[in-house]
Amino acid sequence: GAAWVRLFARAAAEGAGEARGGRGARGGVRFFARAAAVRAGTVTAAPVRGGSTTAGTRPGAPYPYRPSGRTYRRMTATTAQDWEDRSAALWSRIDALAPEDFLARTDALAAELGADHPVALFERAAARDSLGRTDEAVPLYRRALRGELPGERRRRAVIQLASSRRALGDPEESISLLTAERAHGEDHLSDALTAVLALALADAGRAREGVAEAVAALAPHLPRYQRSMANYARMMGEAEAQKTSPSGD
């Protein structure tokens, strides 16, 4: 939904500013600081299924936003980083621009990559999601994921699509998407994934499972009682799994 999109985008925008000597991520977006640094090119992402990180690895390297078998405008690492910087700057102004102005600027920036470019589709989806036009965002997320969306944006697209499907009244698809995504491994977005999963479980009438997921994600960040909270979450989850198992035991 819109709240998740804005949080991800603000982390990316502040991270890009940090890379250029500006302020780093702070407060609620500190959790996503590493995500921002990956987009800004200051650290290397640990790959999750989906391929390349979001920036070239050497001057003149082909921009990795050109999936095999597709024809997109060729971009070097330098021009790619310029595009990312302009995208981050635009997202940082979302609250200052009129909704239709922000959407038009996003669409114009996306058009530089090509109408069917997976990153262009993702950015257009995220913009609409953030403005509350969730029903328009969902098909764009799906098209972006079918188009070999690279790097961190692929996982963000899954999380945001799942959040949107929950908001549109389909928590079961949300649970299915997030459960499948979780199987691809852990990274800096794992807690965000779990938070959306907890909400989807609650909407699906499985609130105690949702609480167990949320407490398990929170436990490592507590100053004390980490082990106890993790155990309570595990026991609650196991108890709920037993209730819903076919044998009932």
Side-chain angles (χ1 to χ4, degrees), residues 33-59:
R34 179 173 169 78
V38 170
R39 283 193 66 182
T42 58
V43 299
T44 301
V48 179
R49 187 179 68 85
S52 307
T53 57
T54 57
T57 57
R58 64 186 186 280

Side-chain angles (χ1 to χ4, degrees), residues 194 207-217 229 232-238 240:
T194 299
R208 287 180 63 83
E209 288 180 68
V211 169
E213 290 283 354
V215 172
M229 291 300 112
Y232 293 150
R234 177 183 55 78
M235 288 187 290
M236 181 179 285
E238 289 174 353
E240 290 304 302

Side-chain angles (χ1 to χ4, degrees), residues 92-103:
S92 73
R93 298 183 60 203
I94 185 170
D95 294 324
L97 296 171
E100 292 305 320
D101 188 14
F102 175 75
L103 198 60

